[in-house]
Amino acid sequence: MNSTLDISPLTDWITLDGKPFIIAGPCSAESEEQLRQTALALKNLNQAGSRVHAIRAGVWKPRTRPNSFEGMGEAALPWIQTVRKEVGLPFATEIATPQHLELALKYGIDFVWIGARTTVNPFTVQEIADALRGVDIPVLIKNPINPELALWVGAIERIQRAGVKKIAAIHRGFSTHQPSKYRNLPLWQIPIELKSIFPNLPIIGDPSHIAGKREFLAELAQKAMDINYDGLIIESHINPAVALSDAAQQLTPAALGDLLARLQVRQARTTSPETQGQMEELRNRMDRADREIIEAIANRMAIVEEAGEHKRDHNIAIFQVERWNEVFKTRADWGEKMHLNKEFVAELYKVIHLESIRKQTEVMHSANSGEV
Ligand code: PEP
Ligand code: MN
């Protein structure tokens, strides 16, 4: 599947001057003063050389437990309206129902996002999509909380079919029960796959909700730039210690300024013919190396097939656990000696093992060539 959706480029709805699209602001709008101080400090970063293009502030907070802070609701919207005028930057908030959308529009919100707990529900996404018909507001769509690419794709398609062209995806990571240093697993291959399905869809990284902790924000923001994301949405609070939601992951505006100043922004491609030539040469070498890998695998599989025939003719079981344990261990050790990641080599051999078993099962059930 690969479809060029009718999506406007980011630059149709925001002036970026070649910089990544940066949205920053508190997890939640808690008071007019908190919002004002945070948004002004973020805007002032722009004089210091960093660039914040838009302010985020949650009004309705989807919380796992009912007794957590669920956002200030409609009461926060007039604060946003006032502060937006004072600061002169566009504001974004999360909507989870058609009513939220209606209120957001009434108070002049510039962009809306659909949260991870909404993207999982096609009924709700469709209701929001229906409400968006004929409305010209950019919509950012977060990945679903569970690692299911189809749900993300489906939500984007529903919004797009409602006629919305200003769309971007937000990668906020995936909920996990596995022990992990992050609050949500990044699973980078999922947004990369999304991008290969919709090549013109802008992708914005949300290191805050992946990290869950301030200390991991910089590495995640850099990784997003390294794989050429179009922007970042980062939570920033004037005083994170007293934040009513997501306190551990919010940064002061000053700390956010530091993070942005250190960020190395990569170019998608180079314009220098010399660099381009060098890149081409490296790609040619990679192509040759890949061909050798495929030849080596084909060679291995031919031996596997021969072994399968031998096992079949002598009535030996295909799978011998001791042999495979030895294969996994020795290959990982060989890989390590050649400076390869041990886990990577072990994973690779799991796949090779599965294919070898499949191949030998095929041979086992094929006619014995010795039979007349
Ligand atoms: C948020 O952006 O504050 C939020 C609730 O995000 P998510 O939907 O990614 O959990
Ligand atoms: Mn949050």
Side-chain angles (χ1 to χ4, degrees), residues 276-288:
Q276 215 162 354
Q278 285 160 345
M279 199 58 231
E280 215 146 287
E281 151 71 7
L282 288 167
R283 288 198 170 132
N284 286 338
R285 281 167 55 197
M286 266 187 261
D287 289 349
R288 284 197 292 278

Side-chain angles (χ1 to χ4, degrees), residues 27 56 61 183 209 235 245-246 249:
C27 178
R56 60 153 287 152
K61 301 304 298 174
R183 176 179 175 190
H209 290 91
E235 288 186 339
S245 57
D246 288 350
Q249 72 194 30

Side-chain angles (χ1 to χ4, degrees), residues 287-350:
D287 289 349
R288 284 197 292 278
D290 282 342
R291 199 161 171 103
E292 282 165 21
I293 293 173
I294 299 289
E295 279 166 7
I297 293 174
N299 186 18
R300 183 189 209 279
M301 288 303 161
I303 304 172
V304 162
E305 201 168 339
E306 233 180 277
E309 285 163 4
H310 185 77
K311 286 178 189 167
R312 177 196 62 199
D313 296 346
H314 296 89
N315 206 22
I316 305 170
I318 291 172
F319 177 59
Q320 277 105 25
V321 70
E322 311 75 28
R323 163 71 182 155
W324 268 102
N325 285 340
E326 188 213 320
V327 168
F328 280 132
K329 185 168 172 1
T330 50
R331 276 45 167 184
D333 288 347
W334 295 347
E336 197 179 27
K337 287 206 183 83
M338 295 182 212
H339 309 290
L340 288 172
N341 177 330
K342 223 171 160 164
E343 282 76 42
F344 160 69
V345 178
E347 279 302 309
L348 189 62
Y349 269 87
K350 271 188 212 155

Side-chain angles (χ1 to χ4, degrees), residues 267-281:
Q267 293 168 277
R269 47 191 68 77
T270 168
T271 46
S272 135
E274 194 192 334
T275 318
Q276 215 162 354
Q278 285 160 345
M279 199 58 231
E280 215 146 287
E281 151 71 7

